[in-house]
Amino acid sequence: MNPFFFGDSASPLFGVYHPAQHGSGSPASGSGRDHGVVLCYPVGGEYLRAHRAFRQLTNLLVRSGVHVLRFDYSGTGDSAGDPLDATLDRWTADVGTAVEELRDSAGITSVSLAGLRLGAVLALGAARAAASDAATAAGAPPRVDRVALWDPVADGRAFLDAMEPVPLDAASGPGPAPSGAFPPGTVASGGFPWGPRLVEQVAQVDLQRESAPGQAAVEILTSAPDPGLEAVTRRWTEEGSPARYRCIPSEGDWAKGDRFGSALIPQAIIQGVVEALLRPLPSMREAHR
Amino acid sequence: MNERALRFGASAPLVGILTEPLPAQRVPGAPAVVFLNSGIIHRVGASRLYVQAARRLAADGIASLRFDFSGIGDSESRRDALPFVESAVVETREAMDYLERVTGAETFVLAGLCSGADMAFSVAQVDARVVGMAQLDPYAYRTPRWYLLHYGPKVLDLSNWIHSAKVRLQALGRRVRPDPAASEASSVFVAPEYRRVFPPRAEVEAGLGRLAERGVRFLVCFTGDEPHFLYREQYAESFSRVPFGSRLEVEYLPNSDHTFTHPVHQRWVADRIAGWMAAWTGEEEGGAGRALAASGAAGAE
């Protein structure tokens, strides 16, 4: 593994690159070429709870012959930046930067994305952007082959309501006023400040109304049955993105933690994400069946 | 400010982030700060507190390292069977060794929340390079005034007596059985290996006494989530034999939770640690800090 900073030197992103362990497991299927996966963390308090699960997911993937890059978005984790400057657009662009970094680091052409919760929304956005870029370059191969959406945030408003945001101007504490000020409309949840632009963008997330993400195959995995997302996969397949839905019942709630900071590691669905990323890429004819 | 990702450690590959001030801003002779994991939260700290504090310190010319103990965050597990309370001490000292080589720092401040505060105390006992500790929700012990503040209002409230009686009556004749749903749910959780048990007060008092005599400085901050702590003076009262002198500074944030989830509290803590470090950087009024830094930092051996 190699922890490193990459991207714009003025505001670098922190990532950990894990080269594939060739020969120690079944090779990645996909298109038969060397394959890599960029992992997209959830955000806020869910990020801290998911860190260990992402290491587990990484270990399983690299043992299966897949290169992995997991990284922190701007203003989160160890990456540079102020969280108050964060937007979904910025984070989606960060995912694109990570895709290019993995392609360069591993010397590969086939890259998939896997995202958990809000990270799934970013992965989907990055896959759509990659398809758009590829379409403008005649004859260019897909820049993202597949995207796995793990317990995705399907309804941004419901997600925001559930995280019980607290207006920052309601804060009270002893001692002198802290340095700097928070912009009006900033809220706090899960230990992180959410700026007004980010809140506005998250509120607009609605996977039911999203169009198919272009060339990338889509795998949606949920911990509880979600007929709405199942219907989305059928629609996307009809629109040209081979999509599959799978429910793997799993305990635990990413939105809730305990004061001791226990990590949530739902093994069954982690294994399901690995299997989804290792499946042979479906042809459109198979996807329509 | 510059940040570098590092791998170091002789006993297990440990991952950390070194945050350094720009060369022109560096304060010569100032201690470097080492942030210690809280539970199994990785090195960014609860609510990303360590990242914020590290960058705030760099703005004041202080270098810092936040790293993951073996088996936590991005650091690999050890191959030996050393228990966490011992490996954490070994690995923190390796972190200081590494910082000494790459930054030239000769003295260190250890900072940590909860178990991170506990490990800071343990490391300071055995390594004289530690000249300061910034501890968040460290060991706390009740005092007579604590009992008065805690139980006083309840004794006078009739509803508390009624509630207590009901609970005791309901407990009679009812066997407590494990909740199968709870155990199933817990199978997907990984809890920290370290189970926090406060040592006997006399043991901590003796340890703090040794540190105080060595000239170590203490910044102690309690939150409202620490049930053993109720008022700012409690810390000094509970360790009345320790010759803290002017080297102890205590803060109490009753409105903050244990993991500092409110961004206002996070900024406040980062500012407070940086302000406290001014004793070494000379940014405080009177400029005593630069003299402290130049003298080898507060009497360290």
Side-chain angles (χ1 to χ4, degrees), chain A:
Chain A
M1 65 176 287
N2 177 35
F4 70 121
F5 285 93
F6 65 96
D8 182 358
S9 60
S11 187
L13 301 171
F14 173 78
V16 184
Y17 168 57
H18 299 257
Q21 294 176 2
H22 290 290
S24 58
S26 60
S29 45
S31 58
R33 296 164 290 179
D34 274 356
H35 189 67
V37 176
V38 172
L39 299 185
C40 303
Y41 286 107
V43 177
E46 295 181 355
Y47 159 77
L48 291 176
R49 279 190 285 285
H51 193 271
R52 194 148 178 146
F54 269 51
R55 269 203 73 176
Q56 174 74 356
L57 174 58
T58 299
N59 290 340
L60 293 173
L61 287 169
V62 297
R63 286 178 201 154
S64 300
V66 176
H67 306 277
V68 174
L69 174 62
R70 52 192 171 88
F71 80 104
D72 296 330
Y73 315 116
S74 301
T76 75
D78 286 310
S79 287
D82 187 331
L84 294 173
D85 296 331
T87 62
L88 289 189
D89 297 337
R90 172 69 183 269
W91 286 345
T92 301
D94 290 344
V95 177
T97 302
V99 168
E100 294 308 313
E101 184 62 37
L102 178 59
R103 206 185 298 277
D104 292 345
S105 296
I108 56 175
T109 54
S110 172
V111 174
S112 295
L113 298 171
L116 172 63
R117 304 287 288 144
L118 202 56
V121 174
L122 303 174
L124 187 66
R128 182 174 286 116
S132 175
D133 290 349
T136 59
R143 295 174 66 195
V144 172
D145 291 337
R146 184 197 323 255
V147 56
L149 312 180
W150 173 9
D151 281 332
V153 171
D155 180 340
R157 287 195 185 281
F159 172 75
L160 289 170
D161 288 345
M163 72 182 201
E164 299 175 349
V166 177
L168 274 178
D169 55 11
S172 58
S179 59
F182 296 98
T186 304
V187 298
S189 176
F192 296 83
W194 296 64
R197 179 70 182 135
L198 179 61
V199 170
E200 181 186 329
Q201 290 188 334
V202 171
Q204 291 169 3
V205 170
D206 183 358
L207 289 194
Q208 301 283 352
R209 297 170 58 184
E210 293 268 0
S211 57
Q215 298 157 298
V218 180
E219 303 272 354
I220 298 182
L221 300 101
T222 61
S223 302
D226 192 325
L229 287 178
E230 193 169 8
V232 166
T233 57
R234 286 195 295 271
R235 178 167 59 79
W236 284 352
T237 300
E238 290 167 7
E239 291 174 6
S241 295
R244 193 176 76 132
Y245 171 81
R246 188 178 176 200
C247 174
I248 302 175
S250 304
E251 298 284 347
D253 183 347
W254 293 108
K256 294 176 184 169
D258 61 26
R259 71 186 294 264
F260 305 105
S262 297
L264 182 57
I265 307 188
Q267 298 286 0
I269 197 164
I270 290 173
Q271 186 62 46
V273 173
V274 172
E275 290 167 8
L277 291 166
L278 297 181
R279 288 178 70 224
L281 281 168
S283 67
M284 283 309 299
R285 191 169 55 185
E286 287 173 336
H288 278 292
R289 281 177 188 165

Side-chain angles (χ1 to χ4, degrees), chain A residues 1 3 14 47 51-52 55 70 75 77-79 168 171-172 174-176 179-182 188 191 259 261 263-265, chain B residues 5 7 40 42-44 48 51 55 66 71 73-75 188-190 225 252 255 261-268 271:
Chain A
M1 65 176 287
F14 173 78
Y47 159 77
H51 193 271
R52 194 148 178 146
R55 269 203 73 176
R70 52 192 171 88
D78 286 310
S79 287
L168 274 178
S172 58
S179 59
F182 296 98
R259 71 186 294 264
L264 182 57
I265 307 188
Chain B
R7 294 188 84 196
I40 55 174
H42 73 289
R43 65 190 170 274
V44 301
R48 207 175 175 232
V51 175
R55 292 174 183 173
R66 53 185 187 273
D74 291 319
S75 292
V188 299
F189 286 97
V190 172
D225 260 356
Y252 181 39
N255 298 330
T261 55
H262 207 295
V264 166
H265 294 139
Q266 296 160 22
R267 285 192 181 183
W268 190 86
D271 283 350

